[in-house]
Amino acid sequence: MSTVQFKLPDVGEGLTEADILTWKVAAGDSVKVNQVIVEIETAKSVVELPCPTAGSVAALLAPEGATVEVGTPIIDVLSDDAAAAGSAGAPAAPAGSEGSPDSRPGAEATGDADGSGATLVGYGAREDTKRRGRLGRRRALAEQRAAETAGPMPSGPTGLLEDAGAPQRPDPSVSSPAGTRARAKPPVRKRAKESGVDLATVTGTGPAGEVTRRDLEQHLAAAGGLPEVTPTTPRTGPTPAAPLAGPTTPLAAPEDDKTWTIPLKGVRKATAQAMVASAFTAPHVTEFLDVDVTRTMDLVARSRGTEGYAQVNPLAVLSRAVCWALHRTPELNASLQGEQIMVSRRVHLGIATATDRGLMVPVVPDAHAMSVGELARRIREVAATAREGRCPPEAMRGGSITITNVGVFGVDSGTPILNPGQTAIVAFGQIRKRPWVVDDELVVRQVATLSVSADHRVVDGAEISRFLADVGAAMEDPSLMLV
């Protein structure tokens, strides 16, 4: 019987870390190959990971709610097949040793070139990562030899994620020698650069003195920076006081507290990065238009009793109007790529969806080829999938324009920020009764406000105005879309 250690894989989207949401198994449970053992949350979606080998669970190495870096062991499985160690990619062996490839028939794992362990089919690292594997091994070997030349490292406490056979960590009290470049992974270096921290001043507790993300967060907390994150390994010794003493992600403030903190991670972190990149890269311009949508509401009411159109709602009609207007002004269905503007007749419609995890934008491909009834059905499907956390990363890629329905929150209008890579986004305000002039008479009509934000590098006011006017005209009189 052998112990197989399964590392957190890259699920194919350039993943650097993920949160452990829910364990589907516990220590002592029997598991089968490809049985779902854990749900993880990446910056884009919730992903279920299958077990790479059959056996019984020896230990769960990462608690629920923990943020774990790719390549970190998350579960130990006792396997009857010694060869199964290769399929998991991380047998309990000293760090730095290279396991042999798995030769079992039907094994669904492949070895990583960088020695980080095998990954399940469908969760492989990107090709550019694999090409850097040889250089990574050489660098790791050189650093290992340098560490051996410097003498044995002081032993430290064994953490929850450590392999019992791995080299012991250096004493946290020993800092990096002056003038040397601290060891750290690219995400940690980026975080340190954003925070203005010299990694040489941070005590590393990782292998060979590597500065981990947890080390950096603890350093920031001690320096009065950001609050310390909840660690994925148990502390030894007294725990210093920290601003956060409750759950990792508090959903509501305690009754006796007036302020609380929510960690910026997962979807919220990805949204923040995307919005900053968009707002400070694309010069936004926003236009507004009030539209009499009484005829649209009449159409929706009549469609309720028609087979195939029972799910038609104002959002579906707006989606069809957007596709119709883009056929007349395709410049807004474009993407700026370097020195070229790529314009397409195919409309891949993004639907901004509010979920418990944050804002997600699933895409309805080829929306231009769909009827109002088909659009209504597909929008409901992708929105429901996103809210349930089952939307895969590929379902949120490739959008060419986005609609955000702010009216469901009782809001009249807004100035939405572009989804990065797109040229326009349409905001749909609430529909409510207002006084309106029809044939020189003041009557009560159902009115909504439409707004469009666009990238002024790609389009000018003329194209934006023409597009918005066409959308408004189609919403005022849906029969125009039949012409």
Side-chain angles (χ1 to χ4, degrees), residues 15-35:
L15 177 71
T16 60
E17 63 182 18
D19 296 335
I20 304 295
L21 279 188
T22 307
W23 281 106
K24 302 296 185 179
V25 295
D29 289 355
S30 296
V31 290
K32 298 181 294 185
V33 175
N34 287 333
Q35 175 184 338

Side-chain angles (χ1 to χ4, degrees), residues 158-169:
T158 302
L160 181 62
L161 298 182
E162 288 182 319
D163 183 353
Q168 294 179 322
R169 293 180 175 180

